[in-house]
Amino acid sequence: MNYSIENFTNYIHSRNWKNAKTFEHFAPHGYVLSFPCDKSKAENKCQNNCDTCRAERKAFEDAVIFIRENGERAKFQNRIYTMLCVGDYQYWTMGNPIETTWVLNKALINDPRCKIKTYWLDRG
Ligand SMILES: [Zn+2]
């Protein structure tokens, strides 16, 4: 895989991010969802264009892998995540195996509205 920061940047800019409404008053962030075709089929959400399903899922997984390989450890609410900072945002997933990772999150780095501090464990 020859996946670069440009690929990652293109991906995150091409997504339609939603606001996580239940968190907006203490930890505002956005997210995108991705499901493999078989899961979408099981939930009757597959559009029956499975090449598109597979391409979208692959793009999501590539972005998640890029975060995991290039991110840094960040402690947030007693859990340690791998977060990647790009531009004004930090990107992370909950850390499940890639096959069961459905959500990619982003939040403004050091967002003053966030009531919970992120501790960057790999910084001096
Ligand atoms: Zn499909």
mmCIF file with all atom_site columns, all heavy atoms in Angstrom, residues 44-68:
data_model
loop_
_atom_site.group_PDB
_atom_site.id
_atom_site.type_symbol
_atom_site.label_atom_id
_atom_site.label_alt_id
_atom_site.label_comp_id
_atom_site.label_asym_id
_atom_site.label_entity_id
_atom_site.label_seq_id
_atom_site.pdbx_PDB_ins_code
_atom_site.Cartn_x
_atom_site.Cartn_y
_atom_site.Cartn_z
_atom_site.occupancy
_atom_site.B_iso_or_equiv
_atom_site.pdbx_formal_charge
_atom_site.auth_seq_id
_atom_site.auth_comp_id
_atom_site.auth_asym_id
_atom_site.auth_atom_id
_atom_site.pdbx_PDB_model_num
ATOM 1   N N   . ASN A 1 44 ? -30.446 -3.824 5.203  1.00 0.00 ? 44 ASN A N   1
ATOM 2   C CA  . ASN A 1 44 ? -31.192 -3.283 4.060  1.00 0.00 ? 44 ASN A CA  1
ATOM 3   C C   . ASN A 1 44 ? -30.743 -1.881 3.662  1.00 0.00 ? 44 ASN A C   1
ATOM 4   O O   . ASN A 1 44 ? -31.544 -1.065 3.211  1.00 0.00 ? 44 ASN A O   1
ATOM 5   C CB  . ASN A 1 44 ? -32.702 -3.280 4.335  1.00 0.00 ? 44 ASN A CB  1
ATOM 6   C CG  . ASN A 1 44 ? -33.263 -4.681 4.350  1.00 0.00 ? 44 ASN A CG  1
ATOM 7   O OD1 . ASN A 1 44 ? -32.868 -5.519 3.539  1.00 0.00 ? 44 ASN A OD1 1
ATOM 8   N ND2 . ASN A 1 44 ? -34.160 -4.948 5.288  1.00 0.00 ? 44 ASN A ND2 1
ATOM 9   N N   . LYS A 1 45 ? -29.448 -1.594 3.876  1.00 0.00 ? 45 LYS A N   1
ATOM 10  C CA  . LYS A 1 45 ? -28.941 -0.279 3.497  1.00 0.00 ? 45 LYS A CA  1
ATOM 11  C C   . LYS A 1 45 ? -28.003 -0.351 2.296  1.00 0.00 ? 45 LYS A C   1
ATOM 12  O O   . LYS A 1 45 ? -27.549 0.678  1.818  1.00 0.00 ? 45 LYS A O   1
ATOM 13  C CB  . LYS A 1 45 ? -28.208 0.365  4.673  1.00 0.00 ? 45 LYS A CB  1
ATOM 14  C CG  . LYS A 1 45 ? -29.157 0.806  5.794  1.00 0.00 ? 45 LYS A CG  1
ATOM 15  C CD  . LYS A 1 45 ? -28.385 1.338  6.980  1.00 0.00 ? 45 LYS A CD  1
ATOM 16  C CE  . LYS A 1 45 ? -29.302 1.577  8.169  1.00 0.00 ? 45 LYS A CE  1
ATOM 17  N NZ  . LYS A 1 45 ? -28.557 1.597  9.438  1.00 0.00 ? 45 LYS A NZ  1
ATOM 18  N N   . CYS A 1 46 ? -27.700 -1.546 1.832  1.00 0.00 ? 46 CYS A N   1
ATOM 19  C CA  . CYS A 1 46 ? -26.875 -1.665 0.636  1.00 0.00 ? 46 CYS A CA  1
ATOM 20  C C   . CYS A 1 46 ? -27.682 -1.170 -0.550 1.00 0.00 ? 46 CYS A C   1
ATOM 21  O O   . CYS A 1 46 ? -28.847 -1.509 -0.702 1.00 0.00 ? 46 CYS A O   1
ATOM 22  C CB  . CYS A 1 46 ? -26.441 -3.111 0.419  1.00 0.00 ? 46 CYS A CB  1
ATOM 23  S SG  . CYS A 1 46 ? -25.601 -3.350 -1.153 1.00 0.00 ? 46 CYS A SG  1
ATOM 24  N N   . GLN A 1 47 ? -27.037 -0.340 -1.391 1.00 0.00 ? 47 GLN A N   1
ATOM 25  C CA  . GLN A 1 47 ? -27.731 0.197  -2.565 1.00 0.00 ? 47 GLN A CA  1
ATOM 26  C C   . GLN A 1 47 ? -27.659 -0.774 -3.740 1.00 0.00 ? 47 GLN A C   1
ATOM 27  O O   . GLN A 1 47 ? -28.020 -0.435 -4.855 1.00 0.00 ? 47 GLN A O   1
ATOM 28  C CB  . GLN A 1 47 ? -27.105 1.533  -2.973 1.00 0.00 ? 47 GLN A CB  1
ATOM 29  C CG  . GLN A 1 47 ? -27.046 2.565  -1.849 1.00 0.00 ? 47 GLN A CG  1
ATOM 30  C CD  . GLN A 1 47 ? -28.400 2.923  -1.294 1.00 0.00 ? 47 GLN A CD  1
ATOM 31  O OE1 . GLN A 1 47 ? -29.313 3.223  -2.053 1.00 0.00 ? 47 GLN A OE1 1
ATOM 32  N NE2 . GLN A 1 47 ? -28.554 2.868  0.027  1.00 0.00 ? 47 GLN A NE2 1
ATOM 33  N N   . ASN A 1 48 ? -27.157 -1.999 -3.474 1.00 0.00 ? 48 ASN A N   1
ATOM 34  C CA  . ASN A 1 48 ? -26.975 -3.009 -4.513 1.00 0.00 ? 48 ASN A CA  1
ATOM 35  C C   . ASN A 1 48 ? -26.051 -2.559 -5.624 1.00 0.00 ? 48 ASN A C   1
ATOM 36  O O   . ASN A 1 48 ? -26.146 -2.993 -6.756 1.00 0.00 ? 48 ASN A O   1
ATOM 37  C CB  . ASN A 1 48 ? -28.313 -3.472 -5.083 1.00 0.00 ? 48 ASN A CB  1
ATOM 38  C CG  . ASN A 1 48 ? -29.013 -4.400 -4.118 1.00 0.00 ? 48 ASN A CG  1
ATOM 39  O OD1 . ASN A 1 48 ? -28.368 -5.256 -3.504 1.00 0.00 ? 48 ASN A OD1 1
ATOM 40  N ND2 . ASN A 1 48 ? -30.307 -4.236 -3.964 1.00 0.00 ? 48 ASN A ND2 1
ATOM 41  N N   . ASN A 1 49 ? -25.168 -1.651 -5.265 1.00 0.00 ? 49 ASN A N   1
ATOM 42  C CA  . ASN A 1 49 ? -24.051 -1.369 -6.160 1.00 0.00 ? 49 ASN A CA  1
ATOM 43  C C   . ASN A 1 49 ? -22.807 -1.703 -5.359 1.00 0.00 ? 49 ASN A C   1
ATOM 44  O O   . ASN A 1 49 ? -22.180 -0.839 -4.767 1.00 0.00 ? 49 ASN A O   1
ATOM 45  C CB  . ASN A 1 49 ? -24.054 0.085  -6.619 1.00 0.00 ? 49 ASN A CB  1
ATOM 46  C CG  . ASN A 1 49 ? -22.932 0.358  -7.603 1.00 0.00 ? 49 ASN A CG  1
ATOM 47  O OD1 . ASN A 1 49 ? -22.050 -0.483 -7.805 1.00 0.00 ? 49 ASN A OD1 1
ATOM 48  N ND2 . ASN A 1 49 ? -22.959 1.514  -8.211 1.00 0.00 ? 49 ASN A ND2 1
ATOM 49  N N   . CYS A 1 50 ? -22.510 -2.974 -5.301 1.00 0.00 ? 50 CYS A N   1
ATOM 50  C CA  . CYS A 1 50 ? -21.539 -3.434 -4.314 1.00 0.00 ? 50 CYS A CA  1
ATOM 51  C C   . CYS A 1 50 ? -20.117 -3.037 -4.651 1.00 0.00 ? 50 CYS A C   1
ATOM 52  O O   . CYS A 1 50 ? -19.274 -2.970 -3.760 1.00 0.00 ? 50 CYS A O   1
ATOM 53  C CB  . CYS A 1 50 ? -21.710 -4.922 -4.093 1.00 0.00 ? 50 CYS A CB  1
ATOM 54  S SG  . CYS A 1 50 ? -23.337 -5.202 -3.340 1.00 0.00 ? 50 CYS A SG  1
ATOM 55  N N   . ASP A 1 51 ? -19.836 -2.724 -5.911 1.00 0.00 ? 51 ASP A N   1
ATOM 56  C CA  . ASP A 1 51 ? -18.516 -2.169 -6.212 1.00 0.00 ? 51 ASP A CA  1
ATOM 57  C C   . ASP A 1 51 ? -18.341 -0.834 -5.484 1.00 0.00 ? 51 ASP A C   1
ATOM 58  O O   . ASP A 1 51 ? -17.264 -0.532 -4.965 1.00 0.00 ? 51 ASP A O   1
ATOM 59  C CB  . ASP A 1 51 ? -18.334 -1.956 -7.719 1.00 0.00 ? 51 ASP A CB  1
ATOM 60  C CG  . ASP A 1 51 ? -18.145 -3.280 -8.461 1.00 0.00 ? 51 ASP A CG  1
ATOM 61  O OD1 . ASP A 1 51 ? -17.848 -4.289 -7.791 1.00 0.00 ? 51 ASP A OD1 1
ATOM 62  O OD2 . ASP A 1 51 ? -18.307 -3.287 -9.694 1.00 0.00 ? 51 ASP A OD2 1
ATOM 63  N N   . THR A 1 52 ? -19.410 -0.037 -5.461 1.00 0.00 ? 52 THR A N   1
ATOM 64  C CA  . THR A 1 52 ? -19.356 1.234  -4.747 1.00 0.00 ? 52 THR A CA  1
ATOM 65  C C   . THR A 1 52 ? -19.199 0.993  -3.249 1.00 0.00 ? 52 THR A C   1
ATOM 66  O O   . THR A 1 52 ? -18.376 1.626  -2.588 1.00 0.00 ? 52 THR A O   1
ATOM 67  C CB  . THR A 1 52 ? -20.634 2.059  -5.013 1.00 0.00 ? 52 THR A CB  1
ATOM 68  O OG1 . THR A 1 52 ? -20.758 2.224  -6.423 1.00 0.00 ? 52 THR A OG1 1
ATOM 69  C CG2 . THR A 1 52 ? -20.563 3.422  -4.358 1.00 0.00 ? 52 THR A CG2 1
ATOM 70  N N   . CYS A 1 53 ? -19.987 0.048  -2.714 1.00 0.00 ? 53 CYS A N   1
ATOM 71  C CA  . CYS A 1 53 ? -19.851 -0.325 -1.297 1.00 0.00 ? 53 CYS A CA  1
ATOM 72  C C   . CYS A 1 53 ? -18.404 -0.667 -0.970 1.00 0.00 ? 53 CYS A C   1
ATOM 73  O O   . CYS A 1 53 ? -17.844 -0.184 0.010  1.00 0.00 ? 53 CYS A O   1
ATOM 74  C CB  . CYS A 1 53 ? -20.674 -1.565 -0.965 1.00 0.00 ? 53 CYS A CB  1
ATOM 75  S SG  . CYS A 1 53 ? -22.439 -1.332 -0.817 1.00 0.00 ? 53 CYS A SG  1
ATOM 76  N N   . ARG A 1 54 ? -17.846 -1.539 -1.782 1.00 0.00 ? 54 ARG A N   1
ATOM 77  C CA  . ARG A 1 54 ? -16.491 -2.027 -1.494 1.00 0.00 ? 54 ARG A CA  1
ATOM 78  C C   . ARG A 1 54 ? -15.466 -0.914 -1.616 1.00 0.00 ? 54 ARG A C   1
ATOM 79  O O   . ARG A 1 54 ? -14.543 -0.816 -0.803 1.00 0.00 ? 54 ARG A O   1
ATOM 80  C CB  . ARG A 1 54 ? -16.136 -3.189 -2.430 1.00 0.00 ? 54 ARG A CB  1
ATOM 81  C CG  . ARG A 1 54 ? -16.626 -4.538 -1.906 1.00 0.00 ? 54 ARG A CG  1
ATOM 82  C CD  . ARG A 1 54 ? -16.054 -5.677 -2.724 1.00 0.00 ? 54 ARG A CD  1
ATOM 83  N NE  . ARG A 1 54 ? -16.748 -5.828 -3.990 1.00 0.00 ? 54 ARG A NE  1
ATOM 84  C CZ  . ARG A 1 54 ? -17.872 -6.547 -4.136 1.00 0.00 ? 54 ARG A CZ  1
ATOM 85  N NH1 . ARG A 1 54 ? -18.391 -7.191 -3.128 1.00 0.00 ? 54 ARG A NH1 1
ATOM 86  N NH2 . ARG A 1 54 ? -18.449 -6.627 -5.309 1.00 0.00 ? 54 ARG A NH2 1
ATOM 87  N N   . ALA A 1 55 ? -15.617 -0.058 -2.631 1.00 0.00 ? 55 ALA A N   1
ATOM 88  C CA  . ALA A 1 55 ? -14.667 1.049  -2.803 1.00 0.00 ? 55 ALA A CA  1
ATOM 89  C C   . ALA A 1 55 ? -14.749 2.023  -1.629 1.00 0.00 ? 55 ALA A C   1
ATOM 90  O O   . ALA A 1 55 ? -13.719 2.491  -1.117 1.00 0.00 ? 55 ALA A O   1
ATOM 91  C CB  . ALA A 1 55 ? -14.940 1.773  -4.114 1.00 0.00 ? 55 ALA A CB  1
ATOM 92  N N   . GLU A 1 56 ? -15.976 2.307  -1.185 1.00 0.00 ? 56 GLU A N   1
ATOM 93  C CA  . GLU A 1 56 ? -16.136 3.231  -0.061 1.00 0.00 ? 56 GLU A CA  1
ATOM 94  C C   . GLU A 1 56 ? -15.565 2.640  1.220  1.00 0.00 ? 56 GLU A C   1
ATOM 95  O O   . GLU A 1 56 ? -14.926 3.327  2.015  1.00 0.00 ? 56 GLU A O   1
ATOM 96  C CB  . GLU A 1 56 ? -17.611 3.590  0.129  1.00 0.00 ? 56 GLU A CB  1
ATOM 97  C CG  . GLU A 1 56 ? -18.107 4.540  -0.946 1.00 0.00 ? 56 GLU A CG  1
ATOM 98  C CD  . GLU A 1 56 ? -19.567 4.932  -0.760 1.00 0.00 ? 56 GLU A CD  1
ATOM 99  O OE1 . GLU A 1 56 ? -20.214 4.448  0.196  1.00 0.00 ? 56 GLU A OE1 1
ATOM 100 O OE2 . GLU A 1 56 ? -20.047 5.722  -1.589 1.00 0.00 ? 56 GLU A OE2 1
ATOM 101 N N   . ARG A 1 57 ? -15.826 1.344  1.407  1.00 0.00 ? 57 ARG A N   1
ATOM 102 C CA  . ARG A 1 57 ? -15.302 0.687  2.611  1.00 0.00 ? 57 ARG A CA  1
ATOM 103 C C   . ARG A 1 57 ? -13.780 0.648  2.578  1.00 0.00 ? 57 ARG A C   1
ATOM 104 O O   . ARG A 1 57 ? -13.123 0.886  3.589  1.00 0.00 ? 57 ARG A O   1
ATOM 105 C CB  . ARG A 1 57 ? -15.890 -0.727 2.722  1.00 0.00 ? 57 ARG A CB  1
ATOM 106 C CG  . ARG A 1 57 ? -15.432 -1.496 3.932  1.00 0.00 ? 57 ARG A CG  1
ATOM 107 C CD  . ARG A 1 57 ? -15.878 -0.843 5.229  1.00 0.00 ? 57 ARG A CD  1
ATOM 108 N NE  . ARG A 1 57 ? -15.211 -1.455 6.372  1.00 0.00 ? 57 ARG A NE  1
ATOM 109 C CZ  . ARG A 1 57 ? -15.296 -1.019 7.632  1.00 0.00 ? 57 ARG A CZ  1
ATOM 110 N NH1 . ARG A 1 57 ? -16.052 0.028  7.916  1.00 0.00 ? 57 ARG A NH1 1
ATOM 111 N NH2 . ARG A 1 57 ? -14.656 -1.609 8.595  1.00 0.00 ? 57 ARG A NH2 1
ATOM 112 N N   . LYS A 1 58 ? -13.202 0.368  1.421  1.00 0.00 ? 58 LYS A N   1
ATOM 113 C CA  . LYS A 1 58 ? -11.740 0.321  1.308  1.00 0.00 ? 58 LYS A CA  1
ATOM 114 C C   . LYS A 1 58 ? -11.135 1.686  1.613  1.00 0.00 ? 58 LYS A C   1
ATOM 115 O O   . LYS A 1 58 ? -10.123 1.790  2.328  1.00 0.00 ? 58 LYS A O   1
ATOM 116 C CB  . LYS A 1 58 ? -11.333 -0.134 -0.091 1.00 0.00 ? 58 LYS A CB  1
ATOM 117 C CG  . LYS A 1 58 ? -9.852  0.035  -0.403 1.00 0.00 ? 58 LYS A CG  1
ATOM 118 C CD  . LYS A 1 58 ? -9.208  -1.260 -0.762 1.00 0.00 ? 58 LYS A CD  1
ATOM 119 C CE  . LYS A 1 58 ? -7.711  -1.232 -1.029 1.00 0.00 ? 58 LYS A CE  1
ATOM 120 N NZ  . LYS A 1 58 ? -6.933  -0.090 -0.620 1.00 0.00 ? 58 LYS A NZ  1
ATOM 121 N N   . ALA A 1 59 ? -11.746 2.745  1.104  1.00 0.00 ? 59 ALA A N   1
ATOM 122 C CA  . ALA A 1 59 ? -11.240 4.098  1.352  1.00 0.00 ? 59 ALA A CA  1
ATOM 123 C C   . ALA A 1 59 ? -11.287 4.417  2.849  1.00 0.00 ? 59 ALA A C   1
ATOM 124 O O   . ALA A 1 59 ? -10.357 5.019  3.405  1.00 0.00 ? 59 ALA A O   1
ATOM 125 C CB  . ALA A 1 59 ? -12.048 5.112  0.555  1.00 0.00 ? 59 ALA A CB  1
ATOM 126 N N   . PHE A 1 60 ? -12.367 3.992  3.513  1.00 0.00 ? 60 PHE A N   1
ATOM 127 C CA  . PHE A 1 60 ? -12.492 4.199  4.958  1.00 0.00 ? 60 PHE A CA  1
ATOM 128 C C   . PHE A 1 60 ? -11.403 3.432  5.701  1.00 0.00 ? 60 PHE A C   1
ATOM 129 O O   . PHE A 1 60 ? -10.712 3.980  6.565  1.00 0.00 ? 60 PHE A O   1
ATOM 130 C CB  . PHE A 1 60 ? -13.885 3.740  5.401  1.00 0.00 ? 60 PHE A CB  1
ATOM 131 C CG  . PHE A 1 60 ? -14.114 3.813  6.895  1.00 0.00 ? 60 PHE A CG  1
ATOM 132 C CD1 . PHE A 1 60 ? -14.562 4.980  7.482  1.00 0.00 ? 60 PHE A CD1 1
ATOM 133 C CD2 . PHE A 1 60 ? -13.915 2.693  7.697  1.00 0.00 ? 60 PHE A CD2 1
ATOM 134 C CE1 . PHE A 1 60 ? -14.787 5.042  8.860  1.00 0.00 ? 60 PHE A CE1 1
ATOM 135 C CE2 . PHE A 1 60 ? -14.143 2.744  9.069  1.00 0.00 ? 60 PHE A CE2 1
ATOM 136 C CZ  . PHE A 1 60 ? -14.571 3.925  9.642  1.00 0.00 ? 60 PHE A CZ  1
ATOM 137 N N   . GLU A 1 61 ? -11.260 2.149  5.366  1.00 0.00 ? 61 GLU A N   1
ATOM 138 C CA  . GLU A 1 61 ? -10.275 1.324  6.077  1.00 0.00 ? 61 GLU A CA  1
ATOM 139 C C   . GLU A 1 61 ? -8.853  1.841  5.850  1.00 0.00 ? 61 GLU A C   1
ATOM 140 O O   . GLU A 1 61 ? -8.040  1.859  6.774  1.00 0.00 ? 61 GLU A O   1
ATOM 141 C CB  . GLU A 1 61 ? -10.383 -0.140 5.636  1.00 0.00 ? 61 GLU A CB  1
ATOM 142 C CG  . GLU A 1 61 ? -11.658 -0.793 6.135  1.00 0.00 ? 61 GLU A CG  1
ATOM 143 C CD  . GLU A 1 61 ? -11.691 -2.302 5.893  1.00 0.00 ? 61 GLU A CD  1
ATOM 144 O OE1 . GLU A 1 61 ? -10.766 -2.840 5.248  1.00 0.00 ? 61 GLU A OE1 1
ATOM 145 O OE2 . GLU A 1 61 ? -12.659 -2.930 6.365  1.00 0.00 ? 61 GLU A OE2 1
ATOM 146 N N   . ASP A 1 62 ? -8.555  2.284  4.627  1.00 0.00 ? 62 ASP A N   1
ATOM 147 C CA  . ASP A 1 62 ? -7.230  2.839  4.356  1.00 0.00 ? 62 ASP A CA  1
ATOM 148 C C   . ASP A 1 62 ? -6.973  4.060  5.245  1.00 0.00 ? 62 ASP A C   1
ATOM 149 O O   . ASP A 1 62 ? -5.860  4.232  5.770  1.00 0.00 ? 62 ASP A O   1
ATOM 150 C CB  . ASP A 1 62 ? -7.098  3.243  2.886  1.00 0.00 ? 62 ASP A CB  1
ATOM 151 C CG  . ASP A 1 62 ? -6.935  2.044  1.966  1.00 0.00 ? 62 ASP A CG  1
ATOM 152 O OD1 . ASP A 1 62 ? -6.714  0.926  2.454  1.00 0.00 ? 62 ASP A OD1 1
ATOM 153 O OD2 . ASP A 1 62 ? -7.041  2.246  0.736  1.00 0.00 ? 62 ASP A OD2 1
ATOM 154 N N   . ALA A 1 63 ? -7.979  4.905  5.401  1.00 0.00 ? 63 ALA A N   1
ATOM 155 C CA  . ALA A 1 63 ? -7.819  6.098  6.237  1.00 0.00 ? 63 ALA A CA  1
ATOM 156 C C   . ALA A 1 63 ? -7.612  5.704  7.699  1.00 0.00 ? 63 ALA A C   1
ATOM 157 O O   . ALA A 1 63 ? -6.756  6.270  8.393  1.00 0.00 ? 63 ALA A O   1
ATOM 158 C CB  . ALA A 1 63 ? -9.040  7.013  6.093  1.00 0.00 ? 63 ALA A CB  1
ATOM 159 N N   . VAL A 1 64 ? -8.367  4.712  8.165  1.00 0.00 ? 64 VAL A N   1
ATOM 160 C CA  . VAL A 1 64 ? -8.232  4.266  9.561  1.00 0.00 ? 64 VAL A CA  1
ATOM 161 C C   . VAL A 1 64 ? -6.840  3.669  9.796  1.00 0.00 ? 64 VAL A C   1
ATOM 162 O O   . VAL A 1 64 ? -6.186  3.953  10.803 1.00 0.00 ? 64 VAL A O   1
ATOM 163 C CB  . VAL A 1 64 ? -9.339  3.258  9.914  1.00 0.00 ? 64 VAL A CB  1
ATOM 164 C CG1 . VAL A 1 64 ? -9.084  2.635  11.289 1.00 0.00 ? 64 VAL A CG1 1
ATOM 165 C CG2 . VAL A 1 64 ? -10.707 3.938  9.886  1.00 0.00 ? 64 VAL A CG2 1
ATOM 166 N N   . ILE A 1 65 ? -6.385  2.867  8.847  1.00 0.00 ? 65 ILE A N   1
ATOM 167 C CA  . ILE A 1 65 ? -5.051  2.269  8.980  1.00 0.00 ? 65 ILE A CA  1
ATOM 168 C C   . ILE A 1 65 ? -3.991  3.368  9.005  1.00 0.00 ? 65 ILE A C   1
ATOM 169 O O   . ILE A 1 65 ? -3.037  3.320  9.792  1.00 0.00 ? 65 ILE A O   1
ATOM 170 C CB  . ILE A 1 65 ? -4.795  1.264  7.829  1.00 0.00 ? 65 ILE A CB  1
ATOM 171 C CG1 . ILE A 1 65 ? -5.683  0.041  8.015  1.00 0.00 ? 65 ILE A CG1 1
ATOM 172 C CG2 . ILE A 1 65 ? -3.325  0.864  7.768  1.00 0.00 ? 65 ILE A CG2 1
ATOM 173 C CD1 . ILE A 1 65 ? -5.782  -0.857 6.782  1.00 0.00 ? 65 ILE A CD1 1
ATOM 174 N N   . PHE A 1 66 ? -4.191  4.376  8.172  1.00 0.00 ? 66 PHE A N   1
ATOM 175 C CA  . PHE A 1 66 ? -3.224  5.488  8.143  1.00 0.00 ? 66 PHE A CA  1
ATOM 176 C C   . PHE A 1 66 ? -3.155  6.180  9.505  1.00 0.00 ? 66 PHE A C   1
ATOM 177 O O   . PHE A 1 66 ? -2.065  6.502  9.999  1.00 0.00 ? 66 PHE A O   1
ATOM 178 C CB  . PHE A 1 66 ? -3.608  6.485  7.049  1.00 0.00 ? 66 PHE A CB  1
ATOM 179 C CG  . PHE A 1 66 ? -2.563  7.543  6.813  1.00 0.00 ? 66 PHE A CG  1
ATOM 180 C CD1 . PHE A 1 66 ? -1.417  7.257  6.080  1.00 0.00 ? 66 PHE A CD1 1
ATOM 181 C CD2 . PHE A 1 66 ? -2.716  8.826  7.323  1.00 0.00 ? 66 PHE A CD2 1
ATOM 182 C CE1 . PHE A 1 66 ? -0.444  8.223  5.864  1.00 0.00 ? 66 PHE A CE1 1
ATOM 183 C CE2 . PHE A 1 66 ? -1.751  9.806  7.111  1.00 0.00 ? 66 PHE A CE2 1
ATOM 184 C CZ  . PHE A 1 66 ? -0.613  9.499  6.384  1.00 0.00 ? 66 PHE A CZ  1
ATOM 185 N N   . ILE A 1 67 ? -4.308  6.380  10.132 1.00 0.00 ? 67 ILE A N   1
ATOM 186 C CA  . ILE A 1 67 ? -4.326  6.976  11.474 1.00 0.00 ? 67 ILE A CA  1
ATOM 187 C C   . ILE A 1 67 ? -3.578  6.072  12.457 1.00 0.00 ? 67 ILE A C   1
ATOM 188 O O   . ILE A 1 67 ? -2.764  6.545  13.258 1.00 0.00 ? 67 ILE A O   1
ATOM 189 C CB  . ILE A 1 67 ? -5.774  7.184  11.955 1.00 0.00 ? 67 ILE A CB  1
ATOM 190 C CG1 . ILE A 1 67 ? -6.456  8.274  11.122 1.00 0.00 ? 67 ILE A CG1 1
ATOM 191 C CG2 . ILE A 1 67 ? -5.803  7.545  13.443 1.00 0.00 ? 67 ILE A CG2 1
ATOM 192 C CD1 . ILE A 1 67 ? -7.963  8.362  11.348 1.00 0.00 ? 67 ILE A CD1 1
ATOM 193 N N   . ARG A 1 68 ? -3.846  4.784  12.395 1.00 0.00 ? 68 ARG A N   1
ATOM 194 C CA  . ARG A 1 68 ? -3.239  3.865  13.358 1.00 0.00 ? 68 ARG A CA  1
ATOM 195 C C   . ARG A 1 68 ? -1.739  3.752  13.167 1.00 0.00 ? 68 ARG A C   1
ATOM 196 O O   . ARG A 1 68 ? -1.005  3.558  14.138 1.00 0.00 ? 68 ARG A O   1
ATOM 197 C CB  . ARG A 1 68 ? -3.918  2.500  13.258 1.00 0.00 ? 68 ARG A CB  1
ATOM 198 C CG  . ARG A 1 68 ? -5.362  2.593  13.748 1.00 0.00 ? 68 ARG A CG  1
ATOM 199 C CD  . ARG A 1 68 ? -6.105  1.285  13.729 1.00 0.00 ? 68 ARG A CD  1
ATOM 200 N NE  . ARG A 1 68 ? -7.479  1.534  14.190 1.00 0.00 ? 68 ARG A NE  1
ATOM 201 C CZ  . ARG A 1 68 ? -8.392  0.590  14.340 1.00 0.00 ? 68 ARG A CZ  1
ATOM 202 N NH1 . ARG A 1 68 ? -8.092  -0.671 14.081 1.00 0.00 ? 68 ARG A NH1 1
ATOM 203 N NH2 . ARG A 1 68 ? -9.599  0.911  14.766 1.00 0.00 ? 68 ARG A NH2 1
#
